Amino acid sequence: MSYKSPIEDLKYNLSMLDYSNTIGSIERFKEYDADTLMSAVGEIGKLNEQEVVETNKIGDREGLKFVPDGAEGPEVHTPEVYKKLYKTVRDSGYVGATMPTEFGGGGAPFTTAILSGEIGIASNMAFYMGPGLSHGAMKTILKKGSDELKQKYLPKLVSGEWMGTMCLTEPQCGTDLGLIKTTANPIDDHYELNGQKIWISFGEHDLTENIIHLVLAKLPDAPDGIKGISLFLVPKRLEDNSRNQIFCGGLEHKLGINSSPTCVMNLDNAKGWLVGDKHKGMEAMFLMMNDARLKVGLQGIAMSEIAYQNALEFAKERKQMRSVVKEKQDKDSKADNIIVHPDVRRMLMNVKSTTEAMRALCIYTAMKIDLAEDHPDEKVRESAEDFAALMTPIVKAYCTDRGFQNCSESLQVLGGSGFTQEYPLEQYLRDVRITQIYEGTNGIQALDLVGRKLTMHKGRLLQNFQKEVQQFLSENKDDDDIKQFIVPLQNALKEVTASTMWLMQNGMQDPENALASASDYLNLLALMSLTYMWARMAKYSVGKNEPIHKNKIKTGTYFVEKVMPELVMYSQKVQAGKSSMMEMDVAEF
Ligand SMILES: Cc1cc2nc3c(=O)[nH]c(=O)nc-3n(C[C@H](O)[C@H](O)[C@H](O)COP(=O)(O)OP(=O)(O)OC[C@H]3O[C@@H](n4cnc5c(N)ncnc54)[C@H](O)[C@@H]3O)c2cc1C
């Protein structure tokens, strides 16, 4: 297995997206200029390459152990190597890097979490889910918790001494959280929670002494449905170190991420404390979910990258058949490396050109989140918030659907070897599959885009993005050096405009039309966004001589010629509407 952190490409993206004059100029981040940031990310890269990558297969094969009769109740044992590994990662300062310094964090921008997060995930996705979810928990407590909760819980979460989880799902509700049955009753200064949560990642494990659960539950006077949900902090251990009544009832056996514990969690008069306002739990939880959704999209990108690197290494060594071009044939061998064959290049270029564009889009979105939270100008904050809200479902869904496709296409490069356990591709394919499901399935992301984000503030989110793309086109329409990017971007914008109009008209008359076209519309808008990223990369790289710039122009040209045309298909599919699927009776399926 091979992995080299894509440091050069991450650096490239910070310059191309003008990090220094945007995030770098915010007072709070003045210590995090691009060089300092990249030097920290470089250290994370070394640590992961040297110590984490090798644990990925070990974790997958060894898996987890559920011990029902542990000293204080059921226990979950992680793979043997994980304890030392967690200590190393914790000591590196990775866990709380973006948390405020007053709670012991590094005070770095959120963008850092995306840069170093990609490296961690590629190295061992299942392991890094723990620190990743903990980051979301910290952010929620920071934004919505009382001062007392912050003082009590943040320092140890930030240092990594404790870990946090997110407990939403119950047997009868996944997508539809309005169906939650877990209850919370006020008793003295706290609440008592009763119910069962399922599929809780890192709900129980042996990496930290304490686990801080954020749990959705309903108060006795809660209105029905989604509006009646509140959020509670439920620690595994109470202040006097005694065990709180929240226990793991079992582990799932899964297709992938075998070393990430997916737990049933039973709450039996467990003590909890309210986070945020009563009945406003979903609002608080969304803070955690948006953060988490972007990071799940990042999982798709990270897995694409490591899958690509392994496929490339194989393609440069495996010899099969002759190149049809005599001059390209290896005279010392009876066959050529498969990388000479156009169809192998097609697969590699599909993965490479989408991965690099998705990375740029994800970093751009992370930078907007930093601007939305910390820029002094309210107008900048508002427009950055709009962009991040629009892109969150796109990054989550498109980058994970493509991530799965990219892992599959990379596996295909290895032929039969890819299907065997001798190579890591089969594990990547199994591991990445969950990203299309959790944090809200990709179908639900599409509904969020079409049902909420397109209509929010009278359509302002998309209109502003369209304006940004149009402005780029106007400024560069006469730049012949990047003409091969400008024309496709113009076409992409036209398709998006036409399909949005269709959606508005036909979705308004009949909402099922909008729902039937939502996933296709998400793919359409995603492909336009990636085309825009490639056009910006081309603008930045054209005329520069270093290899990375020449490489970008070539890779981007492949994208606009061979990947971007999928956009026309999605636009047609959007405008085909609902009838062919909705006219079937259930019995006809
Ligand atoms: C490995 C793993 C880890 C997880 N970790 C966590 C965790 O840490 N915390 C946590 O709370 N949960 C966790 N989950 C749960 C996860 O978030 C849910 O599985 C997910 O949100 C989907 O819910 P569901 O499985 O109940 O599917 P359902 O809601 O039953 O949906 C089934 C299908 O119907 C579709 N569907 C449902 N409603 C609609 C609709 N209105 N329109 C169109 N399509 C619809 C869905 O897209 C999906 O394809 C985890 C799950 C797994 C497998």
Side-chain angles (χ1 to χ4, degrees):
M1 181 211 293
S2 73
Y3 178 65
K4 199 165 172 339
S5 341
I7 298 293
E8 201 190 358
D9 202 40
L10 296 176
K11 239 185 232 172
Y12 173 92
N13 275 293
L14 286 190
S15 307
M16 185 271 296
L17 295 168
D18 202 17
Y19 172 90
S20 298
N21 290 314
T22 50
I23 316 300
S25 67
I26 295 173
E27 178 63 19
R28 188 158 103 72
F29 301 131
K30 65 178 188 303
E31 284 171 31
Y32 287 94
D33 58 71
D35 287 343
T36 311
L37 195 66
M38 281 317 302
S39 122
V41 175
E43 290 305 310
I44 296 284
K46 274 188 224 149
L47 184 150
N48 281 282
E49 285 167 23
Q50 288 161 9
E51 306 203 31
V52 186
V53 174
E54 64 184 21
T55 65
N56 197 21
K57 182 173 173 181
I58 299 170
D60 180 61
R61 303 301 195 268
E62 191 179 326
L64 301 152
K65 210 187 304 157
F66 180 62
V67 182
D69 47 2
E72 287 183 306
E75 292 172 2
V76 171
H77 296 182
T78 57
E80 202 49 45
V81 291
Y82 276 20
K83 282 166 230 33
K84 180 171 163 272
L85 180 65
Y86 183 70
K87 187 176 178 315
T88 309
V89 169
R90 196 190 132 184
D91 290 348
S92 75
Y94 173 90
V95 178
T98 62
M99 287 295 124
T101 46
E102 63 172 303
F103 296 109
F110 174 65
T111 305
T112 323
I114 293 299
L115 302 182
S116 51
E118 184 193 322
I119 297 167
I121 295 162
S123 305
N124 187 339
M125 175 174 143
F127 169 81
Y128 272 101
M129 277 176 64
L133 281 159
S134 205
H135 181 266
M138 288 181 237
K139 200 162 173 179
T140 309
I141 298 169
L142 185 69
K143 298 264 163 168
K144 293 285 174 186
S146 64
D147 282 344
E148 193 184 345
L149 288 184
K150 283 186 213 168
Q151 296 303 336
K152 258 189 203 158
Y153 294 99
L154 277 180
K156 288 190 174 174
L157 282 167
V158 169
S159 71
E161 193 174 333
W162 296 347
M163 235 191 244
T165 74
M166 169 163 132
C167 303
L168 290 72
T169 309
E170 297 182 7
Q172 75 293 348
C173 69
T175 300
D176 188 356
L177 292 171
L179 302 175
I180 274 178
K181 285 186 186 160
T182 299
T183 56
N185 285 307
I187 309 262
D188 305 330
D189 70 329
H190 64 275
Y191 293 83
E192 268 182 10
L193 282 87
N194 285 283
Q196 186 181 63
K197 296 287 172 180
I198 61 166
W199 302 337
I200 304 308
S201 300
F202 282 81
E204 179 60 52
H205 57 81
D206 54 4
L207 299 179
T208 56
E209 260 298 289
N210 205 355
I211 303 172
I212 310 303
H213 304 282
L214 290 184
V215 181
L216 288 183
K218 288 194 164 180
L219 291 164
D221 61 344
D224 256 2
I226 204 92
K227 294 208 169 83
I229 297 173
S230 304
L231 181 66
F232 299 87
L233 185 154
V234 181
K236 172 179 167 179
R237 285 181 188 284
L238 299 166
E239 267 185 278
D240 61 2
N241 208 33
S242 64
R243 244 342 221 101
N244 198 1
Q245 296 304 301
I246 176 166
F247 289 104
C248 177
L251 283 179
E252 298 300 335
H253 300 277
K254 315 186 290 289
L255 174 70
I257 53 166
N258 285 335
S259 62
S260 166
T262 308
C263 306
V264 173
M265 297 303 296
N266 295 317
L267 296 101
D268 188 8
N269 285 337
K271 280 188 175 176
W273 287 267
L274 188 68
V275 179
D277 296 334
K278 285 182 186 174
H279 314 317
K280 292 273 164 59
M282 285 312 291
E283 198 184 298
M285 205 50 152
F286 260 110
L287 277 175
M288 190 160 174
M289 283 201 289
N290 280 338
D291 183 295
R293 283 178 175 175
L294 202 68
K295 290 214 195 109
V296 174
L298 185 68
Q299 290 179 329
I301 299 166
M303 297 312 290
S304 293
E305 174 66 35
I306 192 164
Y308 171 75
Q309 290 190 20
N310 282 273
L312 178 63
E313 184 177 271
F314 185 92
K316 285 178 176 171
E317 282 168 9
R318 173 73 170 167
K319 288 185 194 304
Q320 287 292 289
M321 308 250 311
R322 278 292 186 206
S323 163
V324 290
V325 181
K326 254 211 150 37
E327 298 75 57
K328 290 186 180 167
Q329 292 176 355
D330 177 356
K331 307 284 175 299
D332 302 328
S333 177
K334 287 186 176 161
D336 293 307
N337 292 330
I338 58 172
I339 198 163
V340 301
H341 303 310
D343 194 61
V344 172
R345 287 177 169 237
R346 173 188 63 80
M347 293 187 277
L348 289 170
M349 288 304 289
N350 279 344
V351 181
K352 177 174 162 61
S353 68
T354 50
T355 304
E356 289 180 25
M358 293 190 298
R359 176 180 292 130
L361 185 64
C362 188
I363 295 173
Y364 191 39
T365 308
M367 284 171 55
K368 294 283 188 186
I369 290 177
D370 278 322
L371 289 178
E373 290 190 358
D374 289 295
H375 199 279
D377 183 338
E378 196 189 326
K379 278 224 148 13
V380 176
R381 285 203 304 276
E382 184 184 276
S383 93
E385 169 95 47
D386 282 358
F387 184 91
L390 183 70
M391 282 302 151
T392 299
I394 292 176
V395 172
K396 194 292 176 176
Y398 187 86
C399 298
T400 58
D401 281 348
R402 186 58 87 160
F404 180 70
Q405 199 180 325
N406 282 348
C407 286
S408 178
E409 207 149 29
S410 299
L411 184 152
Q412 188 76 11
V413 170
L414 277 74
S417 302
F419 199 68
T420 70
Q421 292 199 345
E422 203 173 317
Y423 289 86
L425 276 299
E426 61 84 28
Q427 185 192 341
Y428 301 156
L429 189 67
R430 287 186 287 108
D431 285 352
V432 78
R433 185 61 183 83
I434 184 60
T435 62
Q436 297 167 281
I437 299 170
Y438 58 24
E439 290 306 336
T441 61
N442 285 359
I444 297 305
Q445 302 302 319
L447 299 191
D448 177 44
L449 175 67
V450 166
R452 282 186 67 229
K453 304 297 169 60
L454 286 193
T455 51
M456 211 180 248
H457 304 303
K458 299 192 183 126
R460 188 178 80 197
L461 278 57
L462 179 68
Q463 283 157 17
N464 284 348
F465 181 43
Q466 285 172 310
K467 269 189 215 149
E468 179 178 328
V469 174
Q470 186 54 60
Q471 189 180 339
F472 178 88
L473 285 169
S474 307
E475 282 167 11
N476 295 289
K477 64 180 188 315
D478 300 324
D479 187 345
D480 281 349
D481 293 339
I482 58 164
K483 203 171 170 183
Q484 77 266 38
F485 294 91
I486 296 301
V487 176
L489 186 58
Q490 268 162 348
N491 293 338
L493 187 58
K494 262 189 222 146
E495 290 293 349
V496 165
T497 306
S499 275
T500 310
M501 288 279 284
W502 186 94
L503 211 56
M504 290 301 162
Q505 281 161 3
N506 295 277
M508 211 83 102
Q509 281 165 11
D510 178 353
E512 271 190 344
N513 260 324
L515 303 181
S517 296
S519 285
D520 293 319
Y521 184 83
L522 184 144
N523 284 320
L524 165 68
L525 193 51
L527 283 162
M528 183 187 91
S529 310
L530 299 188
T531 307
Y532 174 52
M533 285 296 108
W534 271 121
R536 286 192 54 175
M537 288 192 259
K539 178 76 188 167
Y540 180 70
S541 282
V542 79
K544 296 194 173 90
N545 280 326
E546 291 91 339
I548 189 165
H549 295 293
K550 294 192 179 307
N551 195 309
K552 286 287 176 193
I553 302 281
K554 285 181 180 169
T555 309
T557 302
Y558 178 89
F559 182 89
V560 292
E561 287 180 2
K562 300 278 196 181
V563 182
M564 179 265 175
E566 289 170 11
L567 175 150
V568 179
M569 170 191 80
Y570 285 119
S571 189
Q572 272 180 16
K573 283 165 64 149
V574 168
Q575 295 178 43
K578 70 163 199 175
S579 51
S580 57
M581 58 177 99
M582 299 315 284
E583 279 168 11
M584 297 273 285
D585 282 339
V586 172
E588 288 180 287
F589 273 85

